[in-house]
């Protein structure tokens, strides 16, 4: 996939390597993923995109099911692609709705992102770029299972 690390004129809160993150390009990848969502029941397609610590980009879209509880959020597809393409840690994340507008992940998905990005994962929100630690304070994670 194309990397959105192009040194955009948009401000970035954190750098990956020596190049600022192009949040607009990352958002565009999320919009592309959203266009492939399967959302016949809710009519609410979602797409996500994230940068990985090794420079890769991963994406995902929601996939609904007639048995509503079996639907998969876009973040599930994203972390599946992350693991399937070599693993790593998520560093920057964005999510868009059916109109391509920035959308914050639900609580369940914030927990999923915490597992693969940790508290320092930068998340694009309507209020700006925030670390996941501000969106999921006092998160439960792998470190809690070793106590």
């Amino acid at each position: 996939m194309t990397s959105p690390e192009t040194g955009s004129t948009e401000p970035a809160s954190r750098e990956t390597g020596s190049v600022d993150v192009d949040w607009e390009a990352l958002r565009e990848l999320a919009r592309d993923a959203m266009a492939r969502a399967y959302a016949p029941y809710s009519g609410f397609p979602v797409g996500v995109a994230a940068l990985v610590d090794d420079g890769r980009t991963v994406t995902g879209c929601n996939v609904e099911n007639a048995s509503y509880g079996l639907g998969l959020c876009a973040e599930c597809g994203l972390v599946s692609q992350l693991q399937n393409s070599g693993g790593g840690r998520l560093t920057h994340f964005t999510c868009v709705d059916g109109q391509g507008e920035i959308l914050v992940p639900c609580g369940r998905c914030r927990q999923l992102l915490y597992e693969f990005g940790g508290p320092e994962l930068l998340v694009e929100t309507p209020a700006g770029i925030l670390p996941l630690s501000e969106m999921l304070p006092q998160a439960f994670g792998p470190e809690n299972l070793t106590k």
Side-chain angles (χ1 to χ4, degrees), residues 31-90:
R31 289 180 185 119
D32 290 345
M34 178 272 300
R36 293 185 293 279
Y38 178 72
Y41 308 108
S42 72
F44 195 78
V46 176
V48 296
L51 291 178
V52 183
D53 58 0
D54 63 6
R56 283 178 295 132
T57 304
V58 290
T59 61
C61 62
N62 59 323
V63 178
E64 295 180 348
N65 188 283
S67 177
Y68 294 143
L70 296 179
L72 299 174
C73 292
E75 292 83 351
C76 293
L78 181 132
V79 298
S80 181
Q81 186 182 70
L82 172 70
Q83 288 304 110
N84 192 45
S85 64
R89 301 294 288 169
L90 301 174

Side-chain angles (χ1 to χ4, degrees), residues 108-119:
R108 174 184 177 268
C109 290
R110 292 176 196 192
Q111 184 66 46
L112 187 64
L113 292 170
Y114 184 84
E115 182 85 12
F116 294 94

Side-chain angles (χ1 to χ4, degrees), residues 76-147:
C76 293
L78 181 132
V79 298
S80 181
Q81 186 182 70
L82 172 70
Q83 288 304 110
N84 192 45
S85 64
R89 301 294 288 169
L90 301 174
T91 61
H92 301 78
F93 173 87
T94 193
C95 180
V96 299
D97 63 18
Q99 285 71 51
E101 299 298 318
I102 299 168
L103 180 68
V104 296
C106 70
R108 174 184 177 268
C109 290
R110 292 176 196 192
Q111 184 66 46
L112 187 64
L113 292 170
Y114 184 84
E115 182 85 12
F116 294 94
E120 65 279 356
L121 171 64
L122 295 179
V123 180
E124 185 177 39
T125 77
I129 309 302
L130 298 174
L132 186 56
S133 61
E134 289 187 27
M135 299 179 69
L136 189 66
Q138 300 182 39
F140 180 87
E143 65 279 0
N144 297 105
L145 296 175
T146 61
K147 294 181 178 179

